[in-house]
């Protein structure tokens, strides 16, 4: 039996200490390797575990393997080497429909997700394919849009929305599937300061496991308690977000830079001041 916390339960012989197995990580990758057809080795012994409701920033230079890793989480890339699971369910061909419900991905380009005539139809697309209909489908759509503060956009055409509005609607299309994991690829790309602030407020309130793949280091600090750096196809650093961002030699070694004058420890203290 896997090690876990000790709990006391009534047994046949009085109170006995019983070992309760720890729940599996929501994201669990061990020794994952991936090579593209042209021979490029994108992931090499990639290992990462993320628990329930953790918010983790995934940092690293371009070409480091971040996106290749993310595309393994919902089976877009087939596992070649190692082990990968979501909430204990192996990421394998026979489980892909459930894996893709559990892992919601918000892509950098919202055009990859918004393609229907109205916001309502875009957000309903996934749940409709799950078999939801009529009032149940309407309720799911309304709930997802309310979660991202976009209820008033329900009958708008996506191509008439601002960048920030489109980002929130794209997020709603994923949340309507009620995922266990939310993966966001460069979520602040193209957003103005107000849109960035609004998105941060929405994400901070979501009580699910979140991975933020980003070069926006202050945004990572604002939303994530933990950060990992991916370089050369593997995780090379894993720690508290503030400690990772305060390590200038580590950042420079992996082509990461904070804005001029930004102090991550001051930013962290401000975030945690009542």
């Amino acid at each position: 039996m896997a090690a876990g916390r000790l709990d006391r339960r009534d047994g046949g012989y009085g109170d006995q200490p019983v070992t309760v197995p720890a729940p599996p990580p929501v994201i669990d990758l061990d020794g994952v390797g991936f090579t593209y057809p042209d021979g490029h080795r994108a992931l090499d012994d990639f290992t990462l575990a993320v628990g329930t409701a953790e918010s983790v920033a995934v940092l690293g230079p371009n070409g480091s393997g971040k996106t290749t890793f993310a595309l393994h989480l919902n089976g877009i890339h087939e596992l070649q080497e190692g082990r990968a699971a979501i909430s204990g369910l192996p990421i394998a061909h026979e489980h892909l429909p459930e894996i893709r419900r559990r892992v919601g991905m918000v892509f950098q380009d919202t055009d990859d997700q918004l393609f229907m005539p109205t916001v309502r139809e875009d957000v309903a697309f996934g749940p409709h394919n799950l078999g939801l209909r009529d009032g149940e489908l309407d309720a799911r759509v309304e709930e997802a849009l309310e979660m991202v503060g976009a209820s008033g956009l329900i009958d708008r055409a996506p191509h008439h929305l601002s960048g920030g509005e489109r980002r929130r609607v794209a997020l709603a299309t994923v949340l309507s599937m009620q995922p266990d994991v939310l993966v966001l690829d460069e979520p602040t790309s193209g957003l103005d300061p107000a849109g960035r602030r609004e998105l941060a407020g929405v994400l901070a309130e979501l009580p699910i496991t979140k991975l933020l793949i980003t070069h926006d280091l202050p945004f990572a600090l604002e939303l994530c308690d933990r950060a990992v750096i991916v370089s050369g196809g593997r995780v090379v650093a894993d720690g508290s977000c503030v400690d990772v961002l305060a390590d200038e030699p580590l950042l420079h070694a992996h082509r990461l830079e904070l804005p001029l004058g930004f102090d991550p420890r001051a930013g962290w203290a401000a975030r945690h001041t009542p």
Side-chain angles (χ1 to χ4, degrees), residues 44-113:
D44 185 21
D45 192 27
F46 191 103
T47 298
L48 180 67
V50 178
T52 302
E54 272 198 278
S55 293
V56 180
V58 181
L59 315 175
N62 290 335
S64 63
K66 303 186 303 295
T67 299
T68 302
F69 146 66
L71 294 178
H72 274 75
L73 295 179
N74 66 354
I76 292 177
H77 283 328
E78 186 175 349
L79 188 67
Q80 294 177 351
E81 304 168 20
R83 178 178 57 80
I86 300 295
S87 300
L89 183 67
I91 302 174
H93 180 75
E94 60 268 27
H95 302 312
L96 285 187
E98 176 60 15
I99 289 293
R100 288 173 179 168
R101 187 205 64 77
R102 293 185 184 190
V103 180
M105 299 195 67
V106 181
F107 295 100
Q108 181 175 349
D109 186 349
T110 55
D111 286 342
D112 292 335
Q113 292 182 261

Side-chain angles (χ1 to χ4, degrees), residues 13-262:
Y13 302 98
D15 279 354
Q16 299 287 335
V18 176
T19 300
V20 178
V26 176
I27 298 170
D28 189 12
L29 275 67
D30 185 16
V32 171
F34 186 82
T35 302
Y36 282 101
D38 64 0
H40 172 62
R41 181 74 168 170
L43 298 179
D44 185 21
D45 192 27
F46 191 103
T47 298
L48 180 67
V50 178
T52 302
E54 272 198 278
S55 293
V56 180
V58 181
L59 315 175
N62 290 335
S64 63
K66 303 186 303 295
T67 299
T68 302
F69 146 66
L71 294 178
H72 274 75
L73 295 179
N74 66 354
I76 292 177
H77 283 328
E78 186 175 349
L79 188 67
Q80 294 177 351
E81 304 168 20
R83 178 178 57 80
I86 300 295
S87 300
L89 183 67
I91 302 174
H93 180 75
E94 60 268 27
H95 302 312
L96 285 187
E98 176 60 15
I99 289 293
R100 288 173 179 168
R101 187 205 64 77
R102 293 185 184 190
V103 180
M105 299 195 67
V106 181
F107 295 100
Q108 181 175 349
D109 186 349
T110 55
D111 286 342
D112 292 335
Q113 292 182 261
L114 304 180
F115 49 85
M116 300 294 281
T118 68
V119 166
R120 182 192 303 272
E121 290 167 283
D122 263 322
V123 179
F125 183 83
H128 185 274
N129 285 336
L130 289 179
L132 274 66
R133 296 291 186 272
D134 302 326
E136 188 179 12
L137 179 60
D138 291 342
R140 183 74 68 89
V141 170
E142 292 164 5
E143 178 186 29
L145 286 170
E146 184 176 356
M147 290 174 73
V148 302
S151 297
L153 305 177
I154 192 166
D155 292 317
R156 296 276 302 278
H159 62 276
H160 288 161
L161 303 179
S162 69
E165 289 170 337
R166 286 172 62 84
R167 188 80 66 185
R168 282 186 282 146
V169 171
L171 178 56
T173 67
V174 170
L175 294 177
S176 68
M177 299 291 284
Q178 298 184 341
D180 297 339
V181 178
L182 184 62
V183 182
L184 300 107
D185 189 6
E186 298 294 350
T188 60
S189 176
L191 294 184
D192 60 22
R196 183 181 180 279
R197 184 183 67 252
E198 290 165 357
L199 180 64
V202 168
L203 294 176
E205 295 298 318
L206 297 178
I208 62 174
T209 301
K210 296 183 284 289
L211 291 184
L212 274 66
I213 302 171
T214 184
H215 286 94
D216 186 339
L217 303 189
F219 191 75
L221 183 67
E222 185 174 355
L223 289 168
C224 300
D225 291 322
R226 178 182 170 194
V228 300
I229 294 179
V230 177
S231 188
R234 62 177 62 198
V235 175
V236 297
D238 185 345
S240 73
C241 199
V242 64
D243 287 342
V244 169
L245 297 188
D247 190 335
E248 289 190 25
L250 176 66
L251 296 184
H252 291 166
H254 300 289
R255 301 181 60 81
L256 296 168
E257 292 188 6
L258 289 163
L260 184 65
F262 183 83

